[in-house]
Amino acid sequence: MIESSDLRMTRIPLNHGASHMPALGFGTLIPDAAVTITATRDALEAGFRHFDCAERYGNEREVGTALQAGLAAEGSSAKTFLLPQSRVHSTRKTT
């Protein structure tokens, strides 16, 4: 584990050993669309790089809008700095 006095910067090694993930994530289950955008962008600006998302929250557009705007303002890209986490609770059948 890469520890830091700031929990947002503490990282946990992944099992394959090639990378680390942030120990603390920001939860995006926020019922109001405008608040979701504001809170997600504020979390990004505060240093969060792990966002806990789920399809069942129904706010993918709002979270994506906030992350895209926030990263553009920083001059960053999602591939480099974000670790999205999604729990798939879908009844869709795949073949």
Side-chain angles (χ1 to χ4, degrees), residues 70-86:
L71 290 170
E74 290 181 1
S76 302
S77 76
K79 271 188 171 176
T80 307
F81 291 103
L82 296 178
L83 179 66
Q85 177 179 328
S86 182

Side-chain angles (χ1 to χ4, degrees), residues 8-71:
R8 289 171 300 173
M9 301 303 154
T10 299
R11 303 207 176 275
I12 300 169
L14 299 177
N15 285 337
H16 59 66
S19 189
H20 293 80
M21 69 178 274
L24 183 64
F26 179 77
T28 62
L29 179 56
I30 305 166
D32 182 86
V35 175
T36 298
I37 293 169
T38 302
T40 303
R41 183 147 182 203
D42 289 348
L44 184 63
E45 289 174 10
F48 282 90
R49 292 298 183 266
H50 177 173
F51 292 84
D52 180 8
C53 308
E55 180 184 29
R56 71 187 305 181
Y57 297 171
N59 62 2
E60 296 95 338
R61 183 180 315 265
E62 292 81 6
V63 172
T65 296
L67 294 177
Q68 191 172 37
L71 290 170

